[in-house]
Amino acid sequence: MIERIQLPTALADFGDAAIAAAIIVAYLVMAEPYVGFVLHRRFEAAARRFSDARRWLYRRLLLLEWVLAAFCVAVVVIATDVDLATIGLRLPEGPVAISVTVLAVGAAAVMLALTVRFVVRTDGVTQLPAGQSVLAMLPRSPVERRLFSIVSVSAGICEELIYRGFLIAFLAAVLPAAPLWICVLIAAVVFGLAHAYQGAVGVSTTLLVGFILGVLYLLTGSLLAPILVHALVDLRAIPLGRLLAPAAKTR
């Protein structure tokens, strides 16, 4: 479990990287929702005309996520009193943290297996409980499924590093008197707003998921469980995409 003393207690802990850290957080709060909204609206428009629109979107998501994650890591490396362990890049320690990690990852794996089973038993196209923006993203062809698997794993790694590891550490530094759950909640709100392109329901859902992943991070003291759970949840989109294009041609 993460204790308050393990996280930064002042922005000065970031040293010469404090301004860079603040710029990244400002981008996450103010610019990322807009960038995501514009990117997905362009994709939705292109998807009506071009068969490779989803691959175009997947490649840009990969670029954006890995570049932003790299900036966060660079800031931490430069920071005076903040290191990679401070943002959760360490293995869980102790029986409780390890047990919670195993249970959480196991539950996510079961969810993925149940999704695959549901798709296998479903004949033809079915109604999926998701917004139009989410449905448009689901991979249809074998090539798209392979690329989306990389996107899913990358989202697990990059988004957890950014929104759980880096952002919670920054919030702990600027809100030294606040309980850690407040930092987790604020980070979850920022994470939810980053999915504004999904509409109000999508923002609410990702906010809740972000809060759960943040609590999981606090309980285990490591990003390992949040990363694996996030990736497994996103990978569910691959079998679900088959329901939208059961007769898709191999490309």
Side-chain angles (χ1 to χ4, degrees), residues 151-242:
V151 172
S152 298
V153 174
S154 295
I157 296 171
C158 297
E159 292 182 8
E160 292 311 305
L161 190 154
I162 295 165
Y163 290 98
R164 250 61 67 185
F166 182 83
L167 184 53
I168 289 176
F170 182 87
L171 291 170
V174 298
L175 300 171
L180 285 182
W181 72 266
I182 293 292
C183 298
V184 169
L185 178 59
I186 295 174
V189 170
V190 176
F191 180 65
L193 291 175
H195 296 78
Y197 65 90
Q198 296 181 14
V201 174
V203 170
S204 301
T205 301
T206 50
L207 189 159
L208 177 60
V209 171
F211 184 74
I212 292 172
L213 291 171
V215 171
L216 187 57
Y217 172 44
L218 291 187
L219 291 175
T220 63
S222 168
L223 286 178
L224 179 62
I227 286 173
L228 293 176
V229 170
H230 190 150
L232 288 168
V233 169
D234 283 4
L235 284 169
R236 294 171 63 240
I238 295 178
L240 289 175
R242 292 178 180 272

Coordinates of all heavy atoms in Angstrom, one line a residue, residues 151-242:
V151 N -2.4 -1.5 -29.4 CA -3.0 -0.3 -28.8 C -3.5 -0.5 -27.4 O -3.3 0.3 -26.5 CB -4.2 0.2 -29.7 CG1 -4.9 1.4 -29.0 CG2 -3.7 0.7 -31.1
S152 N -4.1 -1.7 -27.2 CA -4.6 -2.0 -25.9 C -3.5 -2.2 -24.9 O -3.6 -1.6 -23.7 CB -5.4 -3.4 -26.0 OG -6.5 -3.2 -26.8
V153 N -2.5 -2.9 -25.2 CA -1.3 -3.1 -24.3 C -0.6 -1.7 -24.0 O -0.3 -1.4 -22.9 CB -0.3 -4.1 -24.8 CG1 0.9 -4.2 -23.9 CG2 -1.0 -5.5 -24.9
S154 N -0.5 -0.9 -25.1 CA 0.1 0.4 -24.9 C -0.7 1.3 -24.1 O -0.2 2.0 -23.2 CB 0.3 1.0 -26.3 OG 1.2 0.3 -27.1
A155 N -2.0 1.2 -24.2 CA -2.9 2.1 -23.4 C -2.8 1.7 -21.9 O -2.7 2.5 -21.0 CB -4.4 1.9 -23.8
G156 N -2.7 0.4 -21.6 CA -2.5 -0.1 -20.3 C -1.2 0.4 -19.7 O -1.2 0.9 -18.5
I157 N -0.1 0.4 -20.4 CA 1.2 0.9 -19.9 C 1.2 2.4 -19.8 O 1.5 3.0 -18.8 CB 2.3 0.4 -20.9 CG1 2.4 -1.1 -20.9 CG2 3.7 1.0 -20.4 CD1 3.4 -1.7 -21.9
C158 N 0.9 3.1 -20.9 CA 1.1 4.5 -21.0 C 0.1 5.3 -20.2 O 0.4 6.2 -19.4 CB 1.0 5.0 -22.5 SG 2.3 4.3 -23.5
E159 N -1.2 4.9 -20.3 CA -2.2 5.7 -19.5 C -2.1 5.5 -18.0 O -2.4 6.4 -17.2 CB -3.6 5.3 -20.0 CG -3.8 5.8 -21.5 CD -5.2 5.4 -22.0 OE1 -6.1 5.0 -21.2 OE2 -5.5 5.7 -23.2
E160 N -1.7 4.3 -17.6 CA -1.5 4.1 -16.2 C -0.3 4.8 -15.7 O -0.3 5.4 -14.6 CB -1.4 2.6 -15.9 CG -2.7 1.8 -16.1 CD -3.9 2.5 -15.4 OE1 -3.9 2.7 -14.2 OE2 -4.9 2.8 -16.2
L161 N 0.7 4.8 -16.4 CA 1.9 5.6 -16.0 C 1.6 7.1 -16.0 O 2.0 7.8 -15.0 CB 3.0 5.4 -17.1 CG 4.4 5.9 -16.7 CD1 5.5 5.1 -17.4 CD2 4.6 7.4 -17.1
I162 N 0.8 7.6 -16.9 CA 0.5 9.0 -17.0 C -0.5 9.4 -15.9 O -0.3 10.3 -15.1 CB -0.1 9.4 -18.4 CG1 1.0 9.2 -19.4 CG2 -0.6 10.8 -18.4 CD1 0.5 9.2 -20.9
Y163 N -1.7 8.7 -15.9 CA -2.8 9.2 -15.1 C -2.8 8.6 -13.6 O -3.3 9.3 -12.7 CB -4.1 8.8 -15.7 CG -4.4 9.6 -17.0 CD1 -4.1 9.1 -18.2 CD2 -5.0 10.8 -16.9 CE1 -4.4 9.8 -19.4 CE2 -5.2 11.6 -18.0 CZ -5.0 11.1 -19.3 OH -5.2 11.8 -20.4
R164 N -2.2 7.5 -13.4 CA -2.1 6.9 -12.1 C -0.7 7.3 -11.5 O -0.7 7.9 -10.4 CB -2.4 5.4 -12.1 CG -3.7 5.0 -11.4 CD -4.9 5.6 -12.1 NE -5.1 5.1 -13.5 CZ -6.1 5.6 -14.3 NH1 -6.9 6.5 -13.9 NH2 -6.2 5.0 -15.5
G165 N 0.3 6.9 -12.2 CA 1.7 7.1 -11.6 C 2.1 8.6 -11.5 O 2.2 9.1 -10.5
F166 N 2.2 9.2 -12.7 CA 2.7 10.6 -12.8 C 1.7 11.6 -12.2 O 2.1 12.4 -11.3 CB 3.0 10.9 -14.2 CG 3.6 12.3 -14.4 CD1 4.9 12.5 -14.2 CD2 2.7 13.4 -14.7 CE1 5.4 13.8 -14.3 CE2 3.3 14.6 -14.9 CZ 4.6 14.9 -14.7
L167 N 0.4 11.5 -12.6 CA -0.5 12.6 -12.2 C -0.8 12.5 -10.7 O -0.9 13.5 -10.0 CB -1.8 12.4 -13.0 CG -2.9 13.5 -12.7 CD1 -2.4 14.9 -12.9 CD2 -4.1 13.2 -13.6
I168 N -1.0 11.3 -10.1 CA -1.2 11.2 -8.7 C 0.0 11.7 -7.9 O -0.2 12.4 -6.9 CB -1.5 9.8 -8.3 CG1 -2.9 9.4 -8.8 CG2 -1.5 9.6 -6.8 CD1 -3.3 7.9 -8.6
A169 N 1.2 11.5 -8.4 CA 2.4 12.0 -7.7 C 2.4 13.5 -7.8 O 2.7 14.2 -6.8 CB 3.7 11.4 -8.3
F170 N 2.0 14.1 -8.9 CA 2.0 15.5 -9.0 C 0.9 16.1 -8.1 O 1.2 17.1 -7.4 CB 1.7 15.9 -10.5 CG 1.7 17.4 -10.7 CD1 2.9 18.1 -11.0 CD2 0.6 18.2 -10.6 CE1 2.9 19.5 -11.2 CE2 0.5 19.5 -10.8 CZ 1.7 20.2 -11.1
L171 N -0.2 15.5 -8.1 CA -1.3 16.0 -7.2 C -0.9 15.9 -5.8 O -1.3 16.8 -5.0 CB -2.6 15.2 -7.5 CG -3.2 15.5 -8.9 CD1 -4.3 14.5 -9.1 CD2 -3.8 16.9 -9.0
A172 N -0.2 14.9 -5.4 CA 0.2 14.7 -4.0 C 1.2 15.9 -3.7 O 1.2 16.4 -2.5 CB 0.9 13.4 -3.8
A173 N 2.0 16.3 -4.6 CA 2.9 17.4 -4.4 C 2.3 18.7 -4.2 O 2.6 19.5 -3.4 CB 3.9 17.4 -5.6
V174 N 1.2 19.0 -5.0 CA 0.6 20.3 -5.0 C -0.6 20.3 -3.9 O -1.1 21.4 -3.6 CB 0.0 20.7 -6.3 CG1 1.2 20.9 -7.3 CG2 -1.0 19.7 -6.9
L175 N -1.0 19.2 -3.5 CA -2.0 19.1 -2.4 C -1.5 18.2 -1.3 O -2.0 17.2 -0.9 CB -3.3 18.4 -3.0 CG -4.0 19.1 -4.2 CD1 -5.1 18.3 -4.8 CD2 -4.5 20.5 -3.8
P176 N -0.5 18.7 -0.6 CA 0.2 17.9 0.5 C -0.7 17.6 1.7 O -0.5 16.6 2.4 CB 1.4 18.8 0.9 CG 1.0 20.2 0.5 CD 0.2 20.0 -0.7
A177 N -1.8 18.4 1.9 CA -2.6 18.1 3.0 C -3.8 17.2 2.7 O -4.6 16.8 3.5 CB -3.1 19.4 3.6
A178 N -4.0 17.0 1.4 CA -5.2 16.2 1.0 C -4.9 14.7 1.1 O -3.8 14.2 0.9 CB -5.5 16.5 -0.5
P179 N -6.0 13.9 1.5 CA -5.9 12.5 1.6 C -5.6 11.9 0.2 O -6.0 12.5 -0.8 CB -7.3 12.0 2.1 CG -7.9 13.2 2.6 CD -7.3 14.4 1.9
L180 N -4.9 10.8 0.1 CA -4.5 10.2 -1.2 C -5.7 9.9 -2.0 O -5.7 10.0 -3.3 CB -3.7 9.0 -1.0 CG -2.2 9.2 -0.5 CD1 -1.5 7.9 -0.4 CD2 -1.5 10.1 -1.5
W181 N -6.9 9.5 -1.4 CA -8.0 9.2 -2.2 C -8.6 10.4 -3.0 O -9.2 10.2 -4.0 CB -9.1 8.6 -1.3 CG -9.8 9.5 -0.4 CD1 -9.6 9.7 0.9 CD2 -11.0 10.3 -0.7 NE1 -10.5 10.6 1.4 CE2 -11.3 11.0 0.4 CE3 -11.8 10.5 -1.9 CZ2 -12.4 11.9 0.5 CZ3 -12.8 11.3 -1.9 CH2 -13.2 12.0 -0.7
I182 N -8.3 11.6 -2.4 CA -8.7 12.8 -3.2 C -7.8 12.9 -4.4 O -8.3 13.3 -5.5 CB -8.5 14.1 -2.3 CG1 -9.5 14.0 -1.1 CG2 -8.7 15.3 -3.1 CD1 -11.0 14.2 -1.6
C183 N -6.6 12.7 -4.3 CA -5.7 12.7 -5.5 C -6.1 11.7 -6.5 O -6.1 11.9 -7.7 CB -4.2 12.5 -5.0 SG -3.6 13.7 -3.9
V184 N -6.5 10.5 -6.0 CA -6.9 9.4 -6.9 C -8.2 9.9 -7.6 O -8.4 9.6 -8.8 CB -7.2 8.1 -6.1 CG1 -7.9 7.1 -7.0 CG2 -5.8 7.6 -5.6
L185 N -9.1 10.5 -6.9 CA -10.4 10.9 -7.5 C -10.1 12.0 -8.5 O -10.7 12.0 -9.6 CB -11.3 11.5 -6.4 CG -12.7 12.0 -6.9 CD1 -13.4 10.9 -7.6 CD2 -13.4 12.6 -5.7
I186 N -9.3 13.0 -8.2 CA -9.0 14.1 -9.2 C -8.4 13.5 -10.5 O -8.7 13.8 -11.6 CB -8.1 15.1 -8.6 CG1 -8.8 15.8 -7.4 CG2 -7.7 16.1 -9.6 CD1 -7.9 16.8 -6.7
A187 N -7.4 12.6 -10.3 CA -6.8 11.9 -11.4 C -7.8 11.1 -12.3 O -7.8 11.1 -13.5 CB -5.7 11.0 -11.0
A188 N -8.8 10.5 -11.6 CA -9.8 9.8 -12.3 C -10.7 10.7 -13.1 O -11.1 10.4 -14.2 CB -10.7 9.0 -11.3
V189 N -11.0 11.9 -12.5 CA -11.8 12.9 -13.3 C -11.1 13.3 -14.5 O -11.7 13.4 -15.6 CB -12.1 14.1 -12.4 CG1 -12.7 15.2 -13.2 CG2 -13.1 13.7 -11.2
V190 N -9.8 13.6 -14.4 CA -9.0 14.0 -15.6 C -8.9 12.9 -16.6 O -9.1 13.2 -17.8 CB -7.5 14.4 -15.1 CG1 -6.7 14.8 -16.3 CG2 -7.6 15.6 -14.2
F191 N -8.8 11.7 -16.1 CA -8.8 10.5 -17.0 C -10.2 10.4 -17.7 O -10.2 10.1 -19.0 CB -8.6 9.3 -16.2 CG -8.5 8.0 -17.0 CD1 -7.6 7.7 -18.0 CD2 -9.5 7.0 -16.8 CE1 -7.5 6.6 -18.7 CE2 -9.5 5.8 -17.5 CZ -8.5 5.6 -18.4
G192 N -11.3 10.6 -17.0 CA -12.6 10.6 -17.6 C -12.8 11.6 -18.7 O -13.3 11.4 -19.8
L193 N -12.3 12.9 -18.4 CA -12.4 14.0 -19.3 C -11.6 13.7 -20.6 O -12.0 14.2 -21.7 CB -12.0 15.3 -18.7 CG -12.9 15.8 -17.6 CD1 -12.3 17.0 -16.9 CD2 -14.3 16.1 -18.1
A194 N -10.6 13.0 -20.5 CA -9.8 12.7 -21.7 C -10.6 11.8 -22.7 O -10.2 11.7 -23.8 CB -8.5 11.9 -21.3
H195 N -11.6 11.2 -22.2 CA -12.5 10.4 -23.0 C -13.8 11.1 -23.4 O -14.8 10.5 -23.6 CB -12.8 9.1 -22.4 CG -11.6 8.2 -22.1 ND1 -10.7 8.4 -21.1 CD2 -11.1 7.1 -22.8 CE1 -9.7 7.5 -21.2 NE2 -10.0 6.7 -22.2
A196 N -13.7 12.5 -23.4 CA -14.9 13.3 -23.7 C -15.5 12.9 -25.1 O -16.7 13.1 -25.3 CB -14.6 14.8 -23.6
Y197 N -14.7 12.4 -26.0 CA -15.3 12.1 -27.3 C -16.3 11.0 -27.2 O -17.1 10.8 -28.2 CB -14.1 11.7 -28.2 CG -13.4 10.4 -27.8 CD1 -13.9 9.2 -28.2 CD2 -12.3 10.5 -26.9 CE1 -13.2 8.0 -27.8 CE2 -11.7 9.3 -26.5 CZ -12.1 8.1 -27.0 OH -11.5 6.9 -26.6
Q198 N -16.4 10.3 -26.1 CA -17.3 9.2 -25.9 C -18.7 9.7 -25.4 O -19.6 8.9 -25.2 CB -16.8 8.1 -25.0 CG -15.5 7.4 -25.5 CD -15.0 6.3 -24.6 OE1 -15.7 5.9 -23.7 NE2 -13.8 5.8 -24.8
G199 N -18.8 11.0 -25.1 CA -20.0 11.5 -24.5 C -20.1 11.4 -23.0 O -19.1 10.9 -22.4
A200 N -21.2 11.8 -22.4 CA -21.3 11.8 -21.0 C -21.2 10.4 -20.4 O -20.6 10.3 -19.3 CB -22.7 12.5 -20.6
V201 N -21.8 9.5 -21.0 CA -21.8 8.1 -20.5 C -20.4 7.6 -20.5 O -19.9 6.9 -19.5 CB -22.7 7.2 -21.3 CG1 -22.5 5.7 -20.8 CG2 -24.2 7.6 -21.1
G202 N -19.6 7.8 -21.6 CA -18.2 7.4 -21.7 C -17.4 8.0 -20.7 O -16.5 7.4 -20.0
V203 N -17.6 9.3 -20.4 CA -16.8 10.1 -19.4 C -17.0 9.5 -18.0 O -16.1 9.2 -17.3 CB -17.1 11.6 -19.4 CG1 -16.4 12.3 -18.2 CG2 -16.6 12.2 -20.7
S204 N -18.3 9.2 -17.7 CA -18.7 8.7 -16.4 C -18.1 7.3 -16.2 O -17.6 7.0 -15.1 CB -20.2 8.7 -16.3 OG -20.8 9.9 -16.4
T205 N -18.2 6.5 -17.3 CA -17.7 5.1 -17.2 C -16.2 5.1 -17.0 O -15.6 4.4 -16.1 CB -18.0 4.3 -18.4 OG1 -19.5 4.3 -18.6 CG2 -17.5 2.9 -18.3
T206 N -15.4 5.9 -17.8 CA -14.0 5.9 -17.7 C -13.5 6.5 -16.4 O -12.5 6.2 -15.8 CB -13.3 6.6 -18.9 OG1 -14.0 7.9 -19.1 CG2 -13.5 5.8 -20.1
L207 N -14.3 7.5 -15.9 CA -14.0 8.1 -14.5 C -14.1 7.0 -13.5 O -13.2 6.9 -12.6 CB -15.0 9.2 -14.2 CG -14.7 10.1 -13.0 CD1 -15.4 11.4 -13.2 CD2 -15.1 9.5 -11.7
L208 N -15.1 6.2 -13.5 CA -15.3 5.1 -12.5 C -14.2 4.1 -12.6 O -13.6 3.7 -11.6 CB -16.6 4.5 -12.7 CG -16.9 3.3 -11.7 CD1 -16.9 3.7 -10.3 CD2 -18.3 2.7 -12.1
V209 N -13.9 3.7 -13.9 CA -12.8 2.7 -14.1 C -11.5 3.3 -13.6 O -10.7 2.6 -13.0 CB -12.7 2.4 -15.6 CG1 -11.4 1.5 -15.8 CG2 -13.9 1.6 -16.0
G210 N -11.2 4.6 -13.9 CA -10.0 5.3 -13.5 C -9.9 5.3 -12.0 O -8.8 5.1 -11.4
F211 N -11.0 5.5 -11.3 CA -10.9 5.6 -9.8 C -10.6 4.2 -9.2 O -9.8 4.0 -8.3 CB -12.3 6.1 -9.2 CG -12.3 6.2 -7.7 CD1 -11.6 7.3 -7.1 CD2 -12.9 5.3 -6.9 CE1 -11.6 7.4 -5.7 CE2 -12.9 5.4 -5.6 CZ -12.3 6.5 -5.0
I212 N -11.2 3.1 -9.8 CA -11.0 1.8 -9.4 C -9.5 1.4 -9.6 O -8.8 0.8 -8.7 CB -11.9 0.8 -10.1 CG1 -13.3 1.0 -9.7 CG2 -11.5 -0.7 -9.9 CD1 -14.3 0.2 -10.5
L213 N -9.0 1.8 -10.8 CA -7.6 1.5 -11.0 C -6.6 2.3 -10.1 O -5.6 1.8 -9.7 CB -7.2 1.8 -12.5 CG -7.9 0.9 -13.6 CD1 -7.7 1.5 -15.0 CD2 -7.3 -0.5 -13.5
G214 N -7.1 3.5 -9.7 CA -6.3 4.3 -8.8 C -6.3 3.7 -7.4 O -5.2 3.6 -6.7
V215 N -7.4 3.2 -7.0 CA -7.5 2.5 -5.7 C -6.6 1.2 -5.7 O -5.9 0.9 -4.8 CB -8.9 2.1 -5.3 CG1 -9.0 1.2 -4.1 CG2 -9.8 3.4 -5.1
L216 N -6.7 0.5 -6.8 CA -5.8 -0.7 -7.0 C -4.4 -0.3 -6.9 O -3.6 -1.0 -6.3 CB -6.1 -1.3 -8.4 CG -5.5 -2.7 -8.7 CD1 -5.9 -3.7 -7.6 CD2 -6.0 -3.1 -10.1
Y217 N -4.0 0.8 -7.5 CA -2.6 1.3 -7.4 C -2.2 1.6 -5.9 O -1.2 1.2 -5.5 CB -2.5 2.6 -8.2 CG -1.2 3.3 -8.1 CD1 0.1 2.6 -8.1 CD2 -1.2 4.7 -8.0 CE1 1.3 3.3 -8.0 CE2 0.1 5.4 -7.9 CZ 1.2 4.7 -7.9 OH 2.4 5.4 -7.8
L218 N -3.1 2.3 -5.2 CA -2.9 2.6 -3.8 C -2.7 1.3 -3.0 O -1.8 1.2 -2.1 CB -4.0 3.5 -3.2 CG -4.1 4.9 -3.7 CD1 -5.1 5.6 -2.9 CD2 -2.8 5.6 -3.7
L219 N -3.5 0.3 -3.2 CA -3.5 -0.9 -2.4 C -2.3 -1.7 -2.7 O -1.8 -2.4 -1.8 CB -4.8 -1.7 -2.7 CG -6.1 -1.2 -2.2 CD1 -7.3 -2.1 -2.7 CD2 -6.1 -1.0 -0.7
T220 N -1.8 -1.7 -3.9 CA -0.6 -2.6 -4.3 C 0.7 -1.8 -4.2 O 1.7 -2.5 -4.2 CB -0.8 -3.2 -5.6 OG1 -0.9 -2.2 -6.6 CG2 -2.1 -4.0 -5.7
G221 N 0.6 -0.5 -4.3 CA 1.9 0.3 -4.3 C 2.7 0.1 -5.6 O 3.8 0.5 -5.7
S222 N 2.0 -0.4 -6.6 CA 2.7 -0.7 -7.9 C 1.7 -0.5 -9.1 O 0.5 -0.7 -8.9 CB 3.2 -2.1 -7.9 OG 3.6 -2.5 -9.2
L223 N 2.2 -0.1 -10.2 CA 1.4 0.1 -11.4 C 1.2 -1.3 -12.1 O 0.4 -1.3 -13.1 CB 2.0 1.1 -12.4 CG 1.9 2.5 -12.0 CD1 2.7 3.4 -13.1 CD2 0.5 3.0 -11.9
L224 N 1.8 -2.3 -11.7 CA 1.7 -3.6 -12.4 C 0.2 -4.1 -12.5 O -0.2 -4.4 -13.6 CB 2.5 -4.7 -11.6 CG 2.4 -6.1 -12.3 CD1 3.0 -6.0 -13.7 CD2 3.2 -7.1 -11.4
A225 N -0.5 -4.1 -11.4 CA -1.9 -4.5 -11.5 C -2.8 -3.6 -12.4 O -3.5 -4.1 -13.2 CB -2.5 -4.7 -10.1
P226 N -2.7 -2.3 -12.1 CA -3.5 -1.4 -13.0 C -3.2 -1.5 -14.5 O -4.1 -1.5 -15.3 CB -3.1 0.0 -12.5 CG -2.8 -0.2 -11.1 CD -2.1 -1.5 -11.0
I227 N -1.9 -1.7 -14.8 CA -1.5 -1.8 -16.2 C -2.1 -3.1 -16.8 O -2.7 -3.1 -17.9 CB 0.1 -1.9 -16.3 CG1 0.6 -0.5 -16.1 CG2 0.5 -2.4 -17.7 CD1 2.2 -0.4 -16.1
L228 N -2.0 -4.2 -16.1 CA -2.5 -5.5 -16.7 C -4.0 -5.5 -16.7 O -4.6 -6.0 -17.7 CB -2.0 -6.6 -15.8 CG -0.5 -6.9 -15.8 CD1 -0.1 -8.0 -14.8 CD2 0.0 -7.3 -17.2
V229 N -4.7 -5.0 -15.7 CA -6.1 -4.9 -15.7 C -6.6 -4.0 -16.9 O -7.5 -4.4 -17.6 CB -6.7 -4.4 -14.4 CG1 -8.2 -4.1 -14.5 CG2 -6.4 -5.5 -13.3
H230 N -6.0 -2.8 -17.0 CA -6.4 -1.9 -18.1 C -6.2 -2.6 -19.4 O -7.1 -2.5 -20.3 CB -5.5 -0.7 -17.9 CG -5.9 0.5 -18.8 ND1 -5.7 1.8 -18.5 CD2 -6.5 0.5 -20.0 CE1 -6.2 2.6 -19.4 NE2 -6.7 1.8 -20.4
A231 N -5.1 -3.2 -19.6 CA -4.8 -3.8 -20.9 C -5.9 -4.9 -21.2 O -6.4 -5.1 -22.3 CB -3.4 -4.4 -21.0
L232 N -6.2 -5.8 -20.2 CA -7.1 -6.9 -20.4 C -8.5 -6.3 -20.7 O -9.2 -6.9 -21.5 CB -7.1 -7.8 -19.2 CG -5.9 -8.6 -19.0 CD1 -5.8 -9.2 -17.6 CD2 -5.8 -9.7 -20.1
V233 N -8.9 -5.3 -20.0 CA -10.2 -4.7 -20.3 C -10.3 -4.2 -21.7 O -11.3 -4.4 -22.4 CB -10.5 -3.5 -19.3 CG1 -11.7 -2.7 -19.7 CG2 -10.7 -4.1 -17.9
D234 N -9.3 -3.5 -22.1 CA -9.3 -2.9 -23.5 C -9.2 -4.0 -24.6 O -9.8 -3.9 -25.7 CB -8.1 -2.0 -23.7 CG -8.3 -0.6 -23.1 OD1 -9.3 -0.4 -22.4 OD2 -7.4 0.3 -23.2
L235 N -8.6 -5.1 -24.3 CA -8.5 -6.2 -25.2 C -9.8 -6.9 -25.5 O -10.0 -7.6 -26.5 CB -7.5 -7.3 -24.7 CG -6.0 -7.0 -24.8 CD1 -5.2 -7.9 -24.0 CD2 -5.6 -6.9 -26.3
R236 N -10.8 -6.6 -24.6 CA -12.2 -7.2 -24.9 C -12.8 -6.6 -26.1 O -13.7 -7.2 -26.7 CB -13.1 -6.8 -23.7 CG -12.7 -7.5 -22.4 CD -13.5 -7.0 -21.2 NE -14.9 -7.3 -21.3 CZ -15.8 -6.3 -21.4 NH1 -15.5 -5.0 -21.3 NH2 -17.1 -6.6 -21.5
A237 N -12.3 -5.5 -26.6 CA -12.8 -4.9 -27.8 C -12.5 -5.7 -29.0 O -13.2 -5.6 -30.0 CB -12.2 -3.5 -28.0
I238 N -11.5 -6.5 -29.0 CA -11.1 -7.3 -30.2 C -12.2 -8.4 -30.5 O -12.7 -8.4 -31.6 CB -9.7 -8.0 -30.0 CG1 -8.7 -6.9 -29.9 CG2 -9.4 -9.0 -31.1 CD1 -7.3 -7.4 -29.6
P239 N -12.6 -9.2 -29.5 CA -13.7 -10.1 -29.9 C -15.0 -9.4 -30.1 O -15.8 -9.8 -31.0 CB -13.8 -11.1 -28.6 CG -13.1 -10.3 -27.5 CD -12.0 -9.5 -28.2
L240 N -15.3 -8.3 -29.4 CA -16.5 -7.6 -29.6 C -16.6 -7.0 -31.0 O -17.7 -6.9 -31.6 CB -16.7 -6.5 -28.6 CG -16.9 -6.9 -27.1 CD1 -16.9 -5.7 -26.2 CD2 -18.3 -7.6 -27.0
G241 N -15.4 -6.6 -31.6 CA -15.4 -6.1 -32.9 C -15.9 -7.1 -34.0 O -16.4 -6.8 -35.0
R242 N -15.7 -8.4 -33.7 CA -16.2 -9.5 -34.6 C -17.7 -9.5 -34.7 O -18.2 -9.9 -35.8 CB -15.7 -10.8 -34.1 CG -14.2 -11.1 -34.1 CD -13.8 -12.4 -33.6 NE -12.4 -12.6 -33.6 CZ -11.8 -13.2 -34.6 NH1 -12.4 -13.5 -35.7 NH2 -10.5 -13.4 -34.6

